[in-house]
Amino acid sequence: MSTFGSFKSLSRAMFLGFGRDRAALFFTVLFPLMFLVLFGGIFGHQTTSKVNVLEVGRAAILDQAVAGGGGELGKVMKVTRTPDRAGALRKLEKGDADAVVEQSGNELVVHYSAADQVKSGTVRGLMNSIVQSANQSATGKPPAYSMTTRQVEDGSLKAIQFFTPSLLGWALASAGVFGASQTLVTWRTKGILRRLQLSPAPLPTVFAARVAVSLAIALVQFALFVLVAQLPMFGLRLSGAWWMAIPMVIAGVLAFLSIGMLIGAWAKTQETAQAMTQLVVLPMAFLGGSFFPLDAAPGWLRTVSYIFPLRYLNEGMLNVMGRGLGPMSALPQIGVLMGVAVVGAMIAMRLFRWDAV
């Protein structure tokens, strides 16, 4: 056979082999396409992020600018009027609004949050332009209007208070899912499960010990994250009910361990378990708010993100570690995570196999 003939035969065999390898086909073709759809959905049709502004009472300067803007301001800013000043500020602290604006005499007061530096900067720039335009209409006269900005959080708040819980959540999710799935598959393929079944120690005790070790490691992770973030070069400052992050961590670890156990109970090989774990952890990290906020994402995508338990862990820890909210603010997220833990463990028990068949 000629060189070209050998090349042709090998090429055909390799191509057909690739087509029959479903795992390779998925992770080479379909998996990248999934990320294309994900990022295309978030950023594909957006130019300038629309900011959500709550107007307390009547701010004449803002109303006149919106009315005379010819619809241009409406493309970058949504203004909602509310009489509840305290409620508006609470929404701003929780991240449900990008700014709260009120007018006192000739002064426009803009309240903003440090949670999203991009949105807060956009709002302040827009309001400053509105005030400057109002002053320019009175040419030859002293400036009639002024603007004051006020941060809703304590002045010492820094971005590290938002990065710490979100990156910690991603670390806990990765460790929990990877550790549980790989441990279970390894124990099954190497026959360790069968030996444990015949050992004097009850199997539930063995798994309970594994869970206890995972929780201990997670608490050490939490302590290290907090200690490093509190170094002078970063400047994390904890106050209020920050300690509620500890039960949040425990609930999150239990939830992610159950997901890992489910994958480990289903997967027959370590390669399959690794692939499935990546398929679960990576999208969950992006859609859970670990790497970037989802404020700019379409509404349907933000709705889909609530499927992922990492979002609840990140939100719960952010509420008590970054936003300074009370201990009750973390209870709904803890409840969701514990529910995921129970359901995941029940399904994993149904799928559990002693041997690699």
Side-chain angles (χ1 to χ4, degrees):
M1 183 181 295
S2 65
T3 302
F4 177 76
S6 299
F7 172 80
K8 183 179 179 181
S9 298
L10 287 171
S11 299
R12 182 175 182 274
M14 291 179 181
F15 180 80
L16 292 176
F18 173 80
R20 285 191 290 265
D21 190 342
R22 295 182 180 180
L25 192 63
F26 177 82
F27 283 98
T28 304
V29 181
L30 297 181
F31 195 61
L33 283 177
M34 183 187 73
F35 278 90
L36 176 64
V37 173
L38 173 64
F39 285 101
I42 296 176
F43 304 111
H45 300 287
Q46 296 194 5
T47 53
T48 304
S49 298
K50 200 168 187 178
V51 293
N52 181 23
V53 177
L54 298 180
E55 178 186 1
V56 177
R58 185 175 185 274
I61 303 175
L62 179 59
D63 293 342
Q64 292 169 8
V66 172
E72 293 301 316
L73 276 177
K75 295 179 181 179
V76 295
M77 179 174 62
K78 177 185 177 182
V79 180
T80 305
R81 184 176 294 179
T82 175
D84 185 3
R85 182 178 185 274
L89 292 176
R90 281 195 299 271
K91 288 185 177 180
L92 178 60
E93 290 177 345
K94 293 174 62 178
D96 295 332
D98 300 313
V100 172
V101 177
E102 57 184 338
Q103 184 171 344
S104 177
N106 290 338
E107 182 183 45
L108 188 67
V109 181
V110 181
H111 303 270
Y112 69 96
S113 171
D116 191 333
Q117 298 287 348
V118 175
K119 287 286 185 70
S120 64
T122 301
V123 170
R124 284 176 285 172
L126 286 171
M127 295 303 157
N128 185 60
S129 299
I130 290 172
V131 171
Q132 295 301 323
S133 298
N135 285 328
Q136 288 173 5
S137 65
T139 307
K141 298 180 180 180
Y145 304 105
S146 62
M147 186 184 82
T148 300
T149 58
R150 299 175 183 173
Q151 186 174 319
V152 294
E153 302 95 347
D154 182 85
S156 62
L157 188 64
K158 298 180 180 179
I160 189 65
Q161 293 181 246
F162 298 93
F163 295 144
T164 302
S166 61
L167 294 179
L168 174 62
W170 171 61
L172 294 174
S174 299
V177 179
F178 272 101
S181 61
Q182 291 300 305
T183 297
L184 187 55
V185 173
T186 301
W187 285 4
R188 183 189 303 115
T189 55
K190 293 186 176 181
I192 298 176
L193 283 179
R194 278 298 182 188
R195 291 197 292 272
L196 288 174
Q197 186 185 24
L198 300 175
S199 69
L203 194 61
T205 303
V206 176
F207 281 101
R210 182 67 180 85
V211 171
V213 170
S214 297
L215 290 174
I217 294 173
L219 292 176
V220 171
Q221 279 184 292
F222 172 77
L224 288 175
F225 263 72
V226 171
L227 288 174
V228 171
Q230 286 184 313
L231 293 174
M233 67 182 69
F234 300 120
L236 174 68
R237 299 187 65 179
L238 300 175
S239 61
W242 69 267
W243 48 268
M244 277 298 292
I246 296 176
M248 283 294 312
V249 167
I250 294 174
V253 170
L254 293 176
F256 298 126
L257 282 176
S258 72
I259 295 174
M261 294 290 289
L262 197 158
I263 294 173
W266 173 81
K268 295 181 179 179
T269 64
Q270 288 184 334
E271 291 76 12
T272 303
Q274 290 176 356
M276 283 301 300
T277 301
Q278 291 282 6
L279 183 61
V280 170
V281 172
L282 283 178
M284 186 165 59
F286 282 100
L287 291 177
S290 288
F291 299 139
F292 55 83
L294 298 173
D295 296 336
W300 66 267
L301 196 55
R302 291 197 301 270
T303 302
V304 170
S305 71
Y306 283 101
I307 298 173
F308 299 93
L310 182 55
R311 172 153 193 168
Y312 298 94
L313 177 60
N314 286 340
E315 282 190 350
M317 290 198 298
L318 183 59
N319 284 341
V320 294
M321 294 179 66
R323 293 172 176 151
L325 301 184
M328 300 298 292
S329 65
L331 294 183
Q333 288 83 5
I334 290 177
V336 172
L337 291 171
M338 292 304 297
V340 171
V342 171
V343 173
M346 291 176 64
I347 299 175
M349 290 174 62
R350 295 291 300 272
L351 297 176
F352 180 80
R353 302 187 310 276
W354 291 101
D355 298 310
V357 179

